[in-house]
Amino acid sequence: MAMIERLARIAAHDAHTAGLKPVQWEALRFLARANRFSRTPGALTAYLGATKGTVSQTLIALERAGYIDKSTDTADRRTVRIALTAAGRKMLIRDGTEPMEHALEAMSEADRAALMAGATALLKARIAIDGGRPFGICRDCRHFERDARGSRQHFCRLLAEPLSESDAADICIEQQAA
Ligand code: SF4
């Protein structure tokens, strides 16, 4: 447990970079990884496990800085969609996670794989305690139908929506492990 706390503290320290707060970085990273069904304030709130107020302030700050755009869904006017702007994508290049990524790269492949498997299991177990959503990868979801409409043209059986190869690698609020 002490090791997890130290790692979390170092990661939090690294995250104070380029004038953004850790939660603002997390929001940018989420928007870069989430699929089109999950880029909403509600999904971001669920992903961060934060309060609506924190997420709202985070989005206001990121929008003011020009890193995200908000728009109303054309099919459902009650839903707000969030997207990274070109400036937001550029900002992600300056992400403070770089030192941790270098440390990971320096590990042996076997150690890195074991760490990832263990960390994934721990994260899932911890999220489950709060009844949260795992936000897993789309292609590992029970609703994912590979090559349903031809090569690399996949389909979501839950949402009845086509999925591209790039969608398959994104995370999703509705994901349920296969
Ligand atoms: S297949 Fe699963 S993860 Fe992918 S979009 Fe559908 S519900 Fe989300």
Side-chain angles (χ1 to χ4, degrees):
M1 192 61 212
M3 217 176 290
I4 293 169
E5 279 171 9
R6 282 194 74 189
L7 275 170
R9 207 162 32 240
I10 292 169
H13 175 266
D14 289 348
H16 279 282
T17 184
L20 292 189
K21 294 177 182 167
V23 68
Q24 294 169 343
W25 277 114
E26 278 189 78
L28 289 183
R29 280 184 220 122
F30 171 80
L31 292 171
R33 294 190 62 213
N35 67 8
R36 63 186 184 276
F37 315 114
S38 308
R39 292 190 293 261
T40 64
L44 178 61
T45 304
Y47 181 81
L48 295 176
T51 63
K52 281 185 184 172
T54 299
V55 171
S56 168
Q57 289 305 313
T58 300
L59 292 176
I60 288 169
L62 291 175
E63 192 176 22
R64 273 196 197 134
Y67 298 140
I68 63 163
D69 269 337
K70 282 195 247 165
S71 60
T72 307
D73 190 300
T74 44
D76 178 359
R77 307 290 299 169
R78 291 165 304 174
T79 302
V80 171
R81 300 274 168 204
I82 325 162
L84 282 177
T85 60
R89 290 195 181 281
K90 204 169 161 192
M91 188 61 170
L92 274 168
I93 297 168
R94 300 169 66 190
D95 193 338
T97 56
E98 214 172 280
M100 197 65 89
E101 275 163 24
H102 285 322
L104 277 169
E105 279 162 21
M107 293 170 73
S108 73
E109 210 173 313
D111 281 352
R112 198 165 48 240
L115 174 67
M116 288 306 164
T120 302
L122 176 61
L123 180 64
K124 272 188 190 166
R126 179 61 190 86
I127 287 170
I129 289 172
D130 290 341
R133 291 172 183 255
F135 280 86
I137 304 280
C138 182
R139 63 170 165 263
D140 298 333
C141 176
R142 57 192 283 230
H143 304 297
F144 182 79
E145 201 176 331
R146 181 173 297 282
D147 297 332
R149 297 183 171 176
S151 174
R152 298 175 172 230
Q153 294 177 48
H154 317 301
F155 190 70
C156 170
R157 285 190 294 259
L158 179 72
L159 306 169
E161 289 274 351
L163 298 168
S164 67
E165 188 67 7
S166 144
D167 291 332
D170 287 342
I171 58 172
C172 176
I173 188 170
E174 303 289 356
Q175 202 262 13
Q176 290 175 32

